[in-house]
Amino acid sequence: MKTKIDYDSEYDILYFYPGEKKVDFSIDYDDIILDVSGNEISGVEIIDASEKFANAGENPKEVVKVLN
């Protein structure tokens, strides 16, 4: 299964998700949100992605292009 990757530039959030799964709960750690379904991580959201990737010298839009 291929992981989908999206970037929302309006809210500066980078999303990684394998598909549509029901999220049972989410864990928020330092603006990185893990969506959990059963005993699996079903998605990852990185809030303020441009700030986090700027520290690594990357632009989230470019990361999405490379990973897709």
Side-chain angles (χ1 to χ4, degrees):
M1 177 185 310
K2 183 174 170 134
T3 299
K4 297 176 184 177
I5 303 164
D6 289 321
Y7 176 63
D8 182 333
S9 59
E10 182 179 351
Y11 295 102
D12 194 24
I13 301 173
L14 186 61
Y15 299 96
F16 298 87
Y17 54 98
E20 300 298 321
K21 281 192 175 182
K22 179 181 174 278
V23 175
D24 295 326
F25 61 95
S26 297
I27 300 168
D28 183 350
Y29 180 76
D30 193 30
D31 289 337
I32 296 176
I33 299 170
L34 303 176
D35 294 329
V36 180
S37 182
N39 62 354
E40 297 179 344
I41 294 174
S42 59
V44 177
E45 302 170 29
I46 301 174
I47 299 170
D48 296 327
S50 61
E51 179 181 313
K52 289 177 176 62
F53 281 93
N55 293 336
E58 296 291 336
N59 179 323
K61 291 178 185 177
E62 295 302 314
V63 170
V64 171
K65 285 180 191 176
V66 170
L67 294 176
N68 275 329

